[in-house]
Amino acid sequence: MVDTALQTLYRDEWIHAYERNQSVLRGCVTTEANVRGQKAVFLTSLSNREAVTRGSNGLIPSATGAQTQTDCTLEEWHDLPQKTTFDVLRGQADQRAIMIAESQSVINRKVDDQIITALATGTLDTGTTASVMTKRLAGKALTTLFNGNVPNDGQIYGLLTPAAWEYLTDDPTFTSKDYVDARPIVDGPPSGMQFLRWKGCLWMMHTGLPGVGTNAAKCFVFHKRAIGHAYAADSLKPALGYNDEQDYHWVRSSIYMGAALLQNAGVVYINHDDSALIGS
């Protein structure tokens, strides 16, 4: 006997496809949120002098500092998905909610991409030859950073590709509770704004780094004051509406922002070979 009148069930809830959907780097850099204008200017001040003794005339010699202004040019970035009412009604799940979530993901990815682009303008590295991540290589990057008088003050961040993260988990000092405050093998790599503190640095895995998955990937260690990110805070709220004449729904997510390298000494990049692990 052949069954008839079969029913197909469509879930009301929808499933996020695999993609980066949040910005995890905006809190890792120096930010200016209340921007009005085309440029934001970040001021960096350096004493660049030594203490002196009183002069033979009995006076203390005067001194001046070295100050640098760095321009950060802001640009507007948008995402504007649209769906007709017919598509909203016939589509599975809440199509308007999907548009909002996906549009915000587009903008969040752009925030991180701009910060990573600014990081990549740094000129300090651990060597031109790409190699796989080790405790020694991570230590070399941090040593280069500290040699530039970058303070070990809890504001140093490390960005690793998934392959570099996997290599570090082979080191017992990276996975033991005696050395870190998390369990990366048991709990998995950090997500969102969670970090693993190791060797005085807050490490995280990021899938948006240059060359990820290739033999020319870049990982970074950097200090928070090395990168400036400026944006208009009121531009972050998504707008949504309905066009009565053309009968379509729309969502617009926008941001007015820019990122710039403020101090070259505060960024060190690591040329990493991701392909060795992927191809093994």
Side-chain angles (χ1 to χ4, degrees):
M1 181 176 65
V2 179
D3 292 331
T4 59
L6 302 180
Q7 178 175 308
T8 300
L9 173 65
Y10 292 91
R11 298 179 74 244
D12 288 334
E13 297 181 10
W14 52 283
I15 301 170
H16 285 279
Y18 298 125
E19 62 180 356
R20 288 189 288 126
N21 58 12
Q22 57 182 318
S23 170
V24 296
L25 297 183
R26 199 171 69 191
C28 303
V29 299
T30 301
T31 59
E32 175 54 56
N34 298 313
V35 177
R36 292 289 185 273
Q38 184 182 9
K39 291 185 178 181
V41 180
F42 291 85
L43 176 65
T44 304
S45 183
L46 175 68
S47 63
N48 195 30
R49 57 182 182 269
E50 296 182 356
V52 298
T53 60
R54 193 178 294 273
S56 58
N57 59 0
L59 301 179
I60 300 174
S62 61
T64 58
Q67 296 187 342
T68 303
Q69 291 177 306
T70 303
D71 290 347
C72 180
T73 302
L74 279 70
E75 298 177 292
E76 55 177 336
W77 300 93
H78 306 279
D79 183 63
L80 182 62
Q82 296 177 348
K83 286 183 182 290
T84 66
T85 297
F86 180 62
D87 286 338
V88 169
L89 293 177
R90 72 175 179 171
Q92 184 181 354
D94 189 336
Q95 293 295 313
R96 284 172 293 190
I98 291 175
M99 285 195 296
I100 294 172
E102 291 183 348
S103 189
Q104 285 288 277
S105 296
V106 170
I107 296 301
N108 287 336
R109 285 195 296 272
K110 192 62 184 179
V111 172
D112 275 14
D113 289 346
Q114 276 210 337
I115 293 173
I116 291 170
T117 298
L119 285 168
T121 62
T123 61
L124 301 179
D125 62 29
T126 57
T128 57
T129 302
S131 55
V132 298
M133 182 61 65
T134 60
K135 175 184 176 182
R136 186 175 184 84
L137 185 58
K140 184 177 182 180
L142 291 172
T143 299
T144 304
L145 208 65
F146 296 141
N147 284 344
N149 293 315
V150 174
N152 187 5
D153 57 0
Q155 298 186 84
I156 295 176
Y157 297 89
L159 302 183
L160 301 174
T161 63
W165 179 276
E166 183 62 26
Y167 277 117
L168 271 188
T169 59
D170 290 336
D171 191 290
T173 66
F174 190 68
T175 56
S176 172
K177 291 290 286 184
D178 293 333
Y179 297 92
V180 298
D181 53 4
R183 301 177 300 169
I185 289 182
V186 177
D187 300 329
S191 61
M193 290 302 291
Q194 299 174 7
F195 301 94
L196 188 153
R197 186 182 297 277
W198 179 67
K199 296 174 73 70
C201 178
L202 294 168
W203 300 89
M204 67 173 294
M205 186 179 73
H206 201 292
T207 59
L209 300 182
V212 62
T214 72
N215 62 356
K218 280 183 168 54
C219 302
F220 298 92
V221 293
F222 65 98
H223 191 274
K224 184 173 185 175
R225 298 201 302 268
I227 299 293
H229 182 251
Y231 63 99
D234 56 2
S235 70
L236 287 173
K237 298 178 181 179
L240 59 154
Y242 170 74
N243 184 293
D244 186 66
E245 180 182 9
Q246 296 296 327
D247 190 26
Y248 66 82
H249 300 262
W250 58 268
V251 173
R252 179 182 54 79
S253 295
S254 302
I255 188 169
Y256 186 51
M257 66 174 177
L261 176 68
L262 305 182
Q263 302 186 73
N264 188 65
V267 178
V268 177
Y269 68 85
I270 303 168
N271 288 304
H272 192 264
D273 186 359
D274 278 12
S275 65
L277 181 62
I278 296 174
S280 60

